[in-house]
Amino acid sequence: ISRTVYNRQDVIMSFELTYAVQQLFIEVGREIRDHSKLSDGLLSTLNCVFGHPLLYALDLVDHGRVTEYECPSGRRAFTVTGSSGRSYICLSTSNFCTCPSYVYTGIIQARLNGCSDLLLFI
């Protein structure tokens, strides 16, 4: 078991980064609502922030590997079929995915972007 101790600056930086990413997602929503597509500039920004996982996520969409489910209460869940053919469940509201990549990067490494599958819901 490993233990990480964060100082005040780490916590502040984490909140600032989270806020910046949230603002980026708001801009993505605006562009899709207003123009039904993303501008080259915004795609470039997303690529700088998320890199290769973003390209993989877009490829999943292009190949029809994402299915959305909505229950009567309005909650949504998604299944994403990975390159191995195995399907994973993504819960966008709780930022959780059952894929191995999420377990490694999202939980073990505690990185913000988690996995490519969750980038589908920005």
Side-chain angles (χ1 to χ4, degrees):
I1 297 176
S2 67
R3 180 174 175 231
T4 304
V5 177
Y6 296 97
N7 63 35
R8 180 185 167 109
Q9 189 63 32
D10 291 335
V11 173
I12 292 171
M13 175 89 76
S14 177
F15 282 121
E16 289 173 350
L17 181 58
T18 300
Y19 177 77
V21 170
Q22 287 174 340
Q23 294 305 305
L24 181 59
F25 292 167
I26 289 169
E27 184 61 26
V28 166
R30 255 190 230 125
E31 282 214 20
I32 290 173
R33 184 187 65 240
D34 295 347
H35 306 290
S36 300
K37 65 177 186 169
L38 298 178
S39 68
D40 290 341
L42 190 52
L43 279 172
S44 179
T45 301
L46 289 168
N47 188 45
C48 287
V49 173
F50 296 108
H52 182 71
L54 175 67
L55 299 177
Y56 181 69
L58 293 173
D59 189 57
L60 290 170
V61 172
D62 288 345
H63 288 93
R65 294 176 175 242
V66 181
T67 305
E68 178 182 8
Y69 298 92
E70 186 172 349
C71 57
S73 68
R75 283 189 155 170
R76 299 181 317 156
F78 301 84
T79 57
V80 177
T81 304
S83 57
S84 68
R86 186 164 178 205
S87 292
Y88 303 101
I89 298 169
C90 294
L91 305 172
S92 60
T93 55
S94 61
N95 198 31
F96 178 79
C97 183
T98 60
C99 76
S101 178
Y102 177 81
V103 171
Y104 182 71
T105 59
I107 296 174
I108 295 173
Q109 292 185 340
R111 288 180 32 200
L112 179 65
N113 58 339
C115 69
S116 300
D117 305 326
L118 288 174
L119 290 177
L120 296 167
F121 313 112
I122 59 175

